[in-house]
Amino acid sequence: MKGKMVDKIIIRDAKTNELDPLLTINRLAFGSETEAALVRNLILDPTAAPVISLLAFHDEKAIGHILFTRAVLQQIPEANASILAPMAVIPEYQNKGIGGLLIKEGLKRLMEMNVELVFVLGHIDYYPKSGFINDAARFGFFAPYPIPEEAAAAWMVQELSDGALKKYSGRVSCADSLMQEQYWLE
Ligand SMILES: CC(C)(COP(=O)(O)OP(=O)(O)OC[C@H]1O[C@@H](n2cnc3c(N)ncnc32)[C@H](O)[C@@H]1OP(=O)(O)O)[C@@H](O)C(=O)NCCC(=O)NCCS
């Protein structure tokens, strides 16, 4: 299987009875249990709402997953924000545009929910392809736990409403399940 295959991909909300397939995708993509455990905890965490949990399918096989959960600016509780964590595409389907599609659909849903800012901590060259800006601290948005100087670019932000980057700033809080230091050591 070579090249992009985005035409044949269907993306939709994960159903409550699809926890197993989406956890399997995370295990296969990350090669460990850590992210799958985080996904399970976040999906069951009342402080994570609103949650966007999307699955990508190819020929009815679930091959990719993305999760967005609520983020809060500590001094500005009225700001409507979200955080992408984690996302996963199973290894044999990677680099075919599926991750990009999952992000695009997720951002569309967030905009429909009037979310103004979305954060991510991740691969510094990957997320800017989908509109994220490296080093959110430059704009005054600080991660829940301090990000080491050498990893500053990995903490990223994207505004979904015009002017949100200038309008807001502050330290970001997330769902209880994500407010653990182990997830913030880049
Ligand atoms: C990261 C991941 C979700 C990307 O999904 P994908 O479907 O493979 O990505 P896409 O096909 O949309 O994008 C591919 C592009 O991103 C680049 N890319 C993929 N993974 C990357 C990474 N880890 N770092 C930097 N760039 C990366 C590819 O080189 C490719 O670039 P090109 O468009 O210039 O050719 C997927 O590779 C994955 O599940 N990886 C393991 C788990 C993981 O790291 N999740 C993210 C945690 S922050």
Side-chain angles (χ1 to χ4, degrees):
M1 216 178 1
K2 287 186 177 159
K4 303 279 175 188
M5 55 178 305
V6 293
D7 292 349
K8 296 176 179 167
I9 303 299
I10 290 173
I11 294 181
R12 64 156 171 80
D13 290 290
K15 297 176 186 164
T16 45
N17 65 358
E18 288 175 321
L19 192 57
D20 282 346
L22 69 83
L23 294 182
T24 300
I25 291 167
N26 281 276
R27 280 186 198 107
L28 291 172
F30 287 98
S32 89
E33 190 60 31
T34 308
E35 288 77 11
L38 172 63
V39 169
R40 186 196 292 106
N41 290 342
L42 278 170
I43 285 176
L44 299 173
D45 181 347
T47 68
V51 172
I52 297 175
S53 175
L54 301 175
L55 277 170
F57 291 84
H58 178 246
D59 283 346
E60 297 181 22
K61 178 181 155 97
I63 53 164
H65 177 248
I66 194 166
L67 190 67
F68 296 85
T69 54
R70 182 163 183 255
V72 175
L73 292 170
Q74 285 179 0
Q75 306 302 325
I76 317 172
E78 70 275 16
N80 205 353
S82 183
I83 183 162
L84 189 182
M87 70 176 292
V89 174
I90 63 175
E92 57 269 42
Y93 284 87
Q94 290 177 5
N95 294 317
K96 298 183 184 307
I98 296 159
L101 279 186
L102 281 163
I103 298 175
K104 192 173 169 196
E105 184 63 25
L107 297 180
K108 188 176 148 216
R109 305 290 181 98
L110 292 173
M111 280 190 244
E112 287 165 1
M113 293 159 59
N114 296 317
V115 169
E116 299 164 279
L117 288 168
V118 55
F119 297 92
V120 67
L121 177 68
H123 305 305
I124 59 172
D125 300 323
Y126 180 66
Y127 294 100
K129 293 176 199 288
S130 295
F132 287 88
I133 305 172
N134 296 111
D135 191 3
R138 280 188 294 141
F139 301 92
F141 298 107
F142 300 100
Y145 288 88
I147 306 288
E149 184 73 36
E150 62 277 13
W155 171 239
M156 293 172 245
V157 64
Q158 175 165 180
E159 67 176 12
L160 301 180
S161 79
D162 284 346
L165 277 183
K166 287 191 178 150
K167 187 171 164 193
Y168 299 123
S169 61
R171 188 164 296 281
V172 175
S173 292
C174 305
D176 293 348
S177 320
L178 203 47
M179 290 297 283
Q180 294 181 36
E181 196 169 8
Q182 56 168 318
Y183 299 124
W184 299 91
L185 303 170
E186 255 295 300

